[in-house]
Amino acid sequence: FNSLFTHWSDFEHKIINMSNPGSNMSSAVDAEIAEFRAIQESMGKLRSDQQVLMQQHTENEMVKEELDRLNSDSCVYKKVGPVLMKHDLDEAKQTVSKRLEFISNELEKVSDKISAKERLAESSARKIQEMQKAMQAAAAEAVQQIKANS
C-alpha cells in the first residue's frame, strides 16, 4: 500500500508540475542558486587557503631577513624532531628561498582559482537574475490571461 501511495504521490507531483510551468522555472532557479552557493563556498575555502599561504610567506620572509643579517661564520640550527642540529647558513638560506618560491607559486595558483570562481559566480548570478526576470514576466503574463478570460 505504501509503495502505491508513493507512486501516486509522484504521479500527482508530475501532473502539478506539468500544469504549472512556474514551478519548473522555480526548480531551475533553485538549482542555479544551489550551484551559486556551492561556488561561494568553494571561494571561501580558497580564500582561507590563500590567507594561510600569505601568512607562511610572511613568516618565511622574516626568516630570510634574519638569515641575511647573520655573518658568514654564524651558526644556524635546525630543529629536527626534539633535537637541534647544526645547519649550514648557505644551505639554510637556499632552503628558505626555495620555500618562498614554492609558496609564491602556490599563492599565484590559488589567486587564479579564485579569479576563475569569481567569474563563474558572476555568470551564475546573471543567469539567476535572468531566470527570475523570466519567472516574473511569466507570472505577469498569467495574470493578464486570467484577467482576459474573466
Side-chain angles (χ1 to χ4, degrees):
F1 177 72
N2 282 340
S3 121
L4 178 64
F5 181 73
T6 303
H7 293 302
W8 175 254
S9 177
D10 290 345
F11 177 72
E12 189 176 34
H13 182 70
K14 286 178 184 175
I15 290 174
I16 290 170
N17 281 342
M18 286 172 33
S19 64
N20 186 359
S23 116
N24 290 336
M25 290 175 138
S26 178
S27 296
V29 170
D30 289 345
E32 191 65 33
I33 289 172
E35 184 179 327
F36 180 75
R37 287 185 179 144
I39 292 168
Q40 287 185 317
E41 188 176 312
S42 176
M43 281 176 37
K45 181 175 179 345
L46 287 169
R47 285 198 173 106
S48 175
D49 293 347
Q50 185 182 40
Q51 286 178 336
V52 169
L53 287 167
M54 290 170 84
Q55 180 181 1
Q56 290 175 347
H57 192 273
T58 301
E59 290 171 358
N60 280 278
E61 279 290 337
M62 290 170 50
V63 170
K64 184 179 184 297
E65 288 173 14
E66 290 294 322
L67 290 174
D68 288 342
R69 290 185 194 155
L70 296 176
N71 297 331
S72 59
D73 61 340
S74 297
C75 290
V76 178
Y77 293 90
K78 178 179 179 180
K79 188 173 181 184
V80 180
V83 179
L84 288 175
M85 304 281 292
K86 196 168 186 178
H87 198 63
D88 181 54
L89 178 60
D90 290 331
E91 192 177 321
K93 286 180 179 182
Q94 187 177 15
T95 301
V96 171
S97 292
K98 285 182 181 179
R99 194 176 307 136
L100 278 167
E101 184 180 330
F102 174 78
I103 292 169
S104 295
N105 290 338
E106 289 301 307
L107 267 170
E108 189 175 323
K109 288 177 189 176
V110 169
S111 293
D112 290 346
K113 287 179 183 179
I114 289 171
S115 296
K117 290 287 183 182
E118 285 173 343
R119 287 189 299 274
L120 195 59
E122 288 170 9
S123 171
S124 182
R126 279 192 301 274
K127 187 174 179 182
I128 290 168
Q129 265 186 328
E130 291 168 4
M131 293 169 86
Q132 287 175 334
K133 283 181 186 177
M135 281 178 52
Q136 289 171 348
E141 185 179 324
V143 167
Q144 292 299 325
Q145 285 179 352
I146 291 171
K147 284 182 180 179
N149 292 338
S150 327

